[in-house]
Amino acid sequence: MSSILELASQLRAKNVAELSHTLENSLGHGHGCDDYFDLSRVLLSRRELEPKIRALPAAELEALRNEKTTAHLREQNLATKSSLPEAASLGRELEIAKYKPANRHGSYLTAYETLICITELLFACERHWLDVIRAGIRSQDAKEIALKIKIAPKDVQRIFQLALEAGLIGQNESRWVATTLGMEWLELERSQAWLMLAKACWDLPALKVHEGPIADQISTAYPLVNLANIRLLEYGADLGLTDFDKALHPLTLGSADKAAKDIAKNLPGIQDKLLVQADLSIVSPGPISTSLHRKLDTFADSEDLGLASRFRISSLSISHAMETGMSIAEITEVLLQSGGKGLPQPVEYVLQQTGDRFGQLKILSQKEGTIVEAADTILLTQISNEQSLRGLMLQPIANGQLGSRLGADLVYFNLRDAGYAAVMFDDKGNVQSPRVPVSATPEIPREDEIASRVASLISGEKNQMGGDDVMRQLLFAQKNKIMVQISVEMQDGDAKQFTLSVLGVAAGRLRGKDQLKDAERTLPISRIQSVLLV
């Protein structure tokens, strides 16, 4: 029998869990496959075979190349009771994939820097308009964050991709925003925050890792594996798991959960102390907790981040905090609790002044575009003459109002970047937060799709089939000399089962040998409800 028939027979014998596992491991997840034969053809394509063969351990790969069958090869649908020639041939043909090691320094400190960087990226998503581009974020945005943490802009771009992998950042139209999961991540303790990142890319094949060259260890255990596709090798240094392609101690512990505990013990110790200074700067002499960092990022701009950090408050940063629901009293309380003494007079002044002026420059969304409204006409004149805001095409439309054809979000972020404390309001006069969290969860869970396709495959040969499906199965059975079990609607309306060997298909009729009666039968194809190859 052909490989397709052998594999289809093996697939038919699988239970629901095993068939679900097969579809989950398929690149197409069984999409478009109406029966086991369709699925077999797909699974025997090079596109499906190559990643499975490259993921084989050394012993299994050797067995495949020698056309032997093992339980693992059968589980991966690379063999049945006998070897599948297509898989064995490709196993001998494939060469080792090229791989260039990342060669980046990694340590407990880089893990700490990654947590800080992602925190900054999440807050940048709500304070600035970050365009969606293929590389991640614009180079200028990456440079600004890189300067604060003292890392390279390319490292910021890579860590941004890690945040995408973890589902912390998502796309809202043409702008990057923090997802609901990203906002929850900001509330986590450092060990849990690190663990969420690690689990998003912990894709090492099964092996016992020891300290030393990690690529060599993987290649020895899995000779054909494509190292360039292993995400943990890409982000390992950022998470403190690898250092110049060498596995560090946390990676040798065998799981992300165990590594998280080790990382947490070795992160710089927290010192939630702040020095609030008269020049409006806030200095933390040591590392601060995630919760305090989030509060500071809400009402202050970060300037220098690391083991010691510096933030600065301004009317813009305080206005942002108020937009997101934080009051002046709450800001004052955070500064007093962490600072341990009264606030300098300039700080008290800017807090009071921003609270009094909050919402004086309004952004209102309209069907025709956006209205910028303020009682201060001099302020509106200054905005309309601002060179950096010419792109907004703001024009006077009424006393105390400027109009733009652009969306409210775009007008808002451009005004904020130009230094104006604009605030968005809805049509009921309520403040609108610049946070636009999106869900990182797909609308239709993949497991539901898989379950639906499994049910379709299992029931596909039992349900009534279309004429094309019946004819295709009968011709396949005739060509490959396969027995068929058919269900035929009789004259009285009842269905009757026959087990036949197909002798001929012509003129709308099936001629076959009935195995039970040992006699030939001729049946109208139009009355055949289902065909099961046996």
Side-chain angles (χ1 to χ4, degrees), residues 275-281 313 335-336 341-351:
L275 300 176
V276 185
Q277 304 186 117
D279 63 354
L280 305 183
S281 65
I313 60 173
L335 294 176
L336 289 175
K341 58 181 181 180
L343 300 181
Q345 189 175 14
V347 173
E348 291 182 337
Y349 174 75
V350 74
L351 287 170

Side-chain angles (χ1 to χ4, degrees), residues 111-174:
Y112 174 70
E113 290 174 344
T114 297
L115 296 177
I116 292 177
C117 185
I118 291 182
T119 299
E120 286 304 301
L121 284 167
L122 290 171
F123 277 99
C125 285
E126 70 179 46
R127 288 195 177 189
H128 304 283
W129 182 283
L130 300 183
D131 287 314
V132 174
I133 61 174
R134 181 177 297 179
I137 57 177
R138 291 183 299 124
S139 58
Q140 183 57 40
D141 295 323
K143 285 178 182 177
E144 290 177 3
I145 294 175
L147 284 172
K148 297 176 182 180
I149 310 174
K150 303 179 188 67
I151 60 176
K154 64 179 181 180
D155 295 331
V156 173
Q157 294 283 21
R158 186 181 60 258
I159 293 171
F160 179 85
Q161 295 298 329
L162 175 58
L164 286 179
E165 292 273 3
L168 307 183
I169 293 174
Q171 183 176 344
N172 181 51
E173 297 179 350
S174 58

Side-chain angles (χ1 to χ4, degrees), residues 178-239:
T179 64
T180 51
L181 186 62
M183 300 307 292
E184 291 169 5
W185 183 86
L186 289 170
E187 300 286 354
L188 298 175
E189 292 297 325
R190 295 189 298 178
S191 61
Q192 292 302 310
W194 182 93
L195 182 60
M196 187 180 291
L197 299 176
K199 284 186 173 181
C201 62
W202 194 283
D203 59 351
L204 283 183
L207 78 159
K208 176 62 178 176
V209 178
H210 56 80
E211 294 186 40
I214 183 62
D216 291 346
Q217 295 179 55
I218 299 173
S219 296
T220 300
Y222 298 84
L224 290 180
V225 70
N226 191 343
L227 296 171
N229 291 338
I230 298 179
R231 291 172 296 171
L232 195 60
L233 296 182
E234 173 69 11
Y235 302 116
D238 302 310
L239 295 170

Side-chain angles (χ1 to χ4, degrees), residues 24-45:
E24 287 170 359
N25 289 338
S26 166
L27 294 177
H29 307 305
H31 180 72
C33 296
D34 296 323
D35 53 37
Y36 292 115
F37 291 93
D38 286 340
L39 182 57
S40 297
R41 290 186 184 93
V42 170
L43 294 179
L44 287 173
S45 66

